[in-house]
Amino acid sequence: GIQVEQSPPDLILQEGANSTLRCNFSDSVNNLQWFHQNPWGQLINLFYIPSGTKQNGRLSATTVATERYSLLYISSSQTTDSGVYFCAVERGGYQKVTFGTGTKLQVIP
Amino acid sequence: EAGVAQSPRYKIIEKRQSVAFWCNPISGHATLYWYQQILGQGPKLLIQFQNNGVVDDSQLPKDRFSAERLKGVDSTLKIQPAKLEDSAVYLCASSFGARGYGYTFGSGTRLTVV
């Protein structure tokens, strides 16, 4: 099956700092999503981004499908950004979703 | 709009016992997913329903896990008998259709097998 690797696995930031999270995938995909899992375990969809760039407030994401990677940018980080960030790729006729390995982010005041 | 509802929130059982989880997706969402998330790992898809039909259950341990989606709405996931390695959070998600738009997760059920 498809492999979805994320880097870095762990990241500690000072509040206000910027960061870039990366997602590499091993095969072509129909869609890619970024999720944030908060410290209480709730998963929230951040972006649907099969290709190109999208922005939502302090977050933006870019997917380069031909090179099989996606980037999530977090600017001016806040403590509420802490948690685990997952990318998830969709492929196949019924859009099977495979999650990546995750990046655990801790933002300290 | 109401979210994806799951129950129970927590469950502790002894190994070899059985357990069932319930999920009510967002109204109108045709696709329903059950995931298993072991501590420190990403969610792993167990089964995907399109309306009330199964479209992917390749990672479901069918000797002990079963799932059904009644009338294309609510769904139950059952484990019988449970093993220690089944300790995990079981997440339900739903979306508008097979393309995953409107993908929404429930709060999950944390299962501990002792």
Side-chain angles (χ1 to χ4, degrees), chain A residues 37 42 48 90 94-96, chain B residues 37 48 98-100 102-103:
Chain A
Q37 188 166 40
Q42 183 67 47
Y48 290 97
E90 299 176 30
Y94 283 99
Q95 303 301 105
K96 179 178 178 178
Chain B
Q37 187 175 23
Q48 178 178 344
R99 291 203 65 83
Y103 214 99

Side-chain angles (χ1 to χ4, degrees), chain A residues 30-31 33 35 37 40-45 48 50 86 90 93-101, chain B residues 9 33 35 37 41-43 45 48 50 55-56 58-59 91 98-103 105-107:
Chain A
N30 300 118
N31 197 6
Q33 304 184 54
F35 290 89
Q37 188 166 40
W40 296 270
Q42 183 67 47
L43 276 156
I44 303 295
N45 178 276
Y48 290 97
F86 291 102
E90 299 176 30
Y94 283 99
Q95 303 301 105
K96 179 178 178 178
V97 176
T98 302
F99 276 74
T101 50
Chain B
R9 191 75 175 91
Y33 313 79
Y35 286 88
Q37 187 175 23
Q41 299 181 17
L45 180 68
Q48 178 178 344
Q50 183 73 15
V55 299
D56 191 316
S58 56
Q59 298 190 97
L91 294 160
R99 291 203 65 83
Y101 293 115
Y103 214 99
F105 276 91
S107 299

Side-chain angles (χ1 to χ4, degrees), chain A residues 12-23:
Chain A
I12 299 176
L13 293 177
Q14 199 78 37
E15 196 170 24
N18 303 327
S19 63
T20 300
L21 282 56
R22 187 177 179 101
C23 171

Side-chain angles (χ1 to χ4, degrees), chain A residues 15-96:
Chain A
E15 196 170 24
N18 303 327
S19 63
T20 300
L21 282 56
R22 187 177 179 101
C23 171
N24 291 330
F25 42 98
S26 61
D27 206 341
S28 60
V29 300
N30 300 118
N31 197 6
L32 185 143
Q33 304 184 54
W34 282 97
F35 290 89
H36 175 225
Q37 188 166 40
N38 66 25
W40 296 270
Q42 183 67 47
L43 276 156
I44 303 295
N45 178 276
L46 300 174
F47 293 102
Y48 290 97
I49 185 162
S51 63
T53 297
K54 290 187 178 180
Q55 181 155 6
N56 184 3
R58 296 181 296 104
L59 303 181
S60 64
T62 296
T63 297
V64 184
T66 53
E67 297 186 21
R68 300 180 183 169
Y69 73 89
S70 183
L71 303 173
L72 178 70
Y73 306 95
I74 305 174
S75 64
S76 304
S77 58
Q78 301 175 359
T79 55
T80 52
D81 295 331
S82 296
V84 183
Y85 290 81
F86 291 102
C87 67
V89 299
E90 299 176 30
R91 61 197 309 266
Y94 283 99
Q95 303 301 105
K96 179 178 178 178

Side-chain angles (χ1 to χ4, degrees), chain B residues 4 6 23 25 31-35 91-95 103-106:
Chain B
V4 176
Q6 288 190 248
C23 173
T31 308
L32 185 147
Y33 313 79
W34 281 103
Y35 286 88
L91 294 160
C92 179
S94 69
S95 68
Y103 214 99
T104 305
F105 276 91

Side-chain angles (χ1 to χ4, degrees), chain B residues 81-98:
Chain B
K83 293 184 175 181
L84 296 176
E85 58 261 36
D86 297 332
S87 294
V89 175
Y90 290 84
L91 294 160
C92 179
S94 69
S95 68
F96 288 121

